[in-house]
Amino acid sequence: MNTEALATDKAIRETVIAVHRWTDDLFSFKTTRPQGYQFTAGQYARLGLATDSDPIWRAYSITSAPDDDYLEYYSVTVPGGAFTTLLKDIKPGDGIWTEKQSYGFMTADRFSDGDELWMLSTGTGLGPFVSILRDPMAWKKFRHLVLVHCVRHAKEFAYQDQLFALQKNSPEGLAKLHIVQSATRETENRSGRLSGRITSLLENGELEKKVGIPITTASSRIMLCGNPEMIEDTRRILHLRGLRPCRRALPGQFVTENYW
Ligand SMILES: Cc1cc2nc3c(=O)[nH]c(=O)nc-3n(C[C@H](O)[C@H](O)[C@H](O)COP(=O)(O)OP(=O)(O)OC[C@H]3O[C@@H](n4cnc5c(N)ncnc54)[C@H](O)[C@@H]3O)c2cc1C
């Protein structure tokens, strides 16, 4: 293993401390946290694995809270994927390179106003929202937090126990958390779940009906994370409804993060 190649001022070798397997190809893992490592909930880290030739680096959303003393990530194994073929077998005690800097702009402080924060995710795009919900910032900033997680099969609803626990135990006076789960390939969904893609649920009004809150330019602020096709199609739907992306100089109503 060409580990020396990775030992730069930019990155540090951390240790895997726990691995949780949700399904055969979905898992979360925790690592030690580099000393002084700073991030805002919603940001991502860059992780590196050494190979016999060149080291491989990939972006990973952090799912732990900014004040946890470890870093946690949620990953899928991509069949034949250069990085995840190595990552899928990690176990406690293994090393993983972590860039000392955190990245990304999909954070609750991107929005200067708004009453409701909608977090729309597909698959592992849930990751940054787990961190956002584990941190007090968004709970204080908004009146409603709406988490939408869309997967193919119900077994892919990772983190749901933790998320429903957050919903149940949220302190009085903070935002109300709404959790909407949709599994697109289940013929029968457990009561309360939806069964369409995010784009269909937006177009046919089912999503807003389920939550009981309309999406408006005045009060809705939206984050989109995961599959680029979902993001592109949703962006088009939001545009038609008058919502605009946040730009550096121009406040808008939504921010996006494509995973590939
Ligand atoms: C800002 C950012 C944050 C990211 N955060 C995460 C994260 O928290 N968890 C995570 O699993 N991945 C995340 N990714 C994707 C991750 O960086 C890698 O692309 C992924 O691990 C696959 O790497 P690979 O080398 O195994 O596959 P590659 O050989 O790079 O193959 C890439 C192909 O795999 C598919 N793919 C990549 N990522 C995913 C995914 N997450 N779900 C489904 N299909 C995918 C796409 O078809 C893509 O074309 C993120 C990407 C970005 C840009």
Side-chain angles (χ1 to χ4, degrees), residues 22-237:
W22 303 100
T23 66
D24 286 349
D25 56 8
L26 290 172
F27 58 102
S28 295
F29 57 101
K30 292 180 183 173
T31 73
T32 50
R33 180 171 174 159
Q35 208 180 8
Y37 189 87
Q38 299 288 328
F39 74 97
T40 304
Q43 285 194 300
Y44 64 92
R46 284 186 55 79
L47 302 180
L49 288 172
T51 66
D52 290 334
S53 52
D54 288 334
I56 309 181
W57 294 92
R58 290 290 184 273
Y60 271 84
S61 299
I62 303 166
T63 63
S64 44
D67 63 358
D68 285 331
D69 58 7
Y70 54 85
L71 295 175
E72 187 187 26
Y73 309 95
Y74 173 41
S75 178
V76 66
T77 304
V78 173
F83 190 82
T84 51
T85 297
L86 299 173
L87 187 71
K88 73 178 171 47
D89 295 322
I90 52 156
K91 54 186 185 321
D94 288 352
I96 188 155
W97 292 92
T98 308
E99 280 196 12
K100 294 176 186 170
Q101 194 190 329
S102 54
Y103 299 88
F105 301 100
M106 205 179 58
T107 54
D109 56 6
R110 242 348 246 292
F111 302 112
S112 57
D113 60 356
D115 281 343
E116 306 101 33
L117 178 65
W118 292 75
M119 293 166 275
L120 311 184
S121 61
T122 55
T124 51
L126 176 73
F129 303 143
V130 173
S131 181
I132 286 173
L133 290 172
R134 285 172 162 172
D135 180 58
M137 188 207 291
W139 291 85
K140 293 180 187 160
K141 196 170 159 54
F142 295 94
R143 288 179 50 220
H144 294 273
L145 301 172
V146 185
L147 175 70
V148 181
H149 190 201
C150 186
V151 298
R152 278 183 283 193
H153 300 286
K155 64 180 182 185
E156 295 158 17
F157 286 125
Y159 287 99
Q160 60 175 335
D161 290 350
Q162 292 91 329
L163 293 167
F164 283 113
L166 279 170
Q167 182 183 49
K168 204 168 146 213
N169 302 326
S170 70
E172 204 51 35
L174 294 184
K176 180 173 163 54
L177 173 61
H178 309 254
I179 299 173
V180 181
Q181 297 179 317
S182 183
T184 55
R185 295 205 187 158
E186 296 291 342
T187 42
E188 271 186 42
N189 263 307
R190 206 170 77 186
S191 73
R193 284 186 182 150
L194 301 178
S195 57
R197 288 167 179 246
I198 288 174
T199 43
S200 316
L201 300 175
L202 276 169
E203 280 175 324
N204 65 20
E206 238 186 295
L207 185 56
E208 289 150 278
K209 189 169 159 219
K210 170 89 188 147
V211 179
I213 300 173
I215 291 180
T216 66
T217 49
S219 66
S220 309
R221 300 297 172 260
I222 304 174
M223 294 174 164
L224 307 169
C225 187
N227 182 323
E229 202 179 297
M230 176 282 282
I231 292 177
E232 192 45 44
D233 293 348
T234 306
R235 177 194 281 271
R236 220 170 290 130
I237 295 168

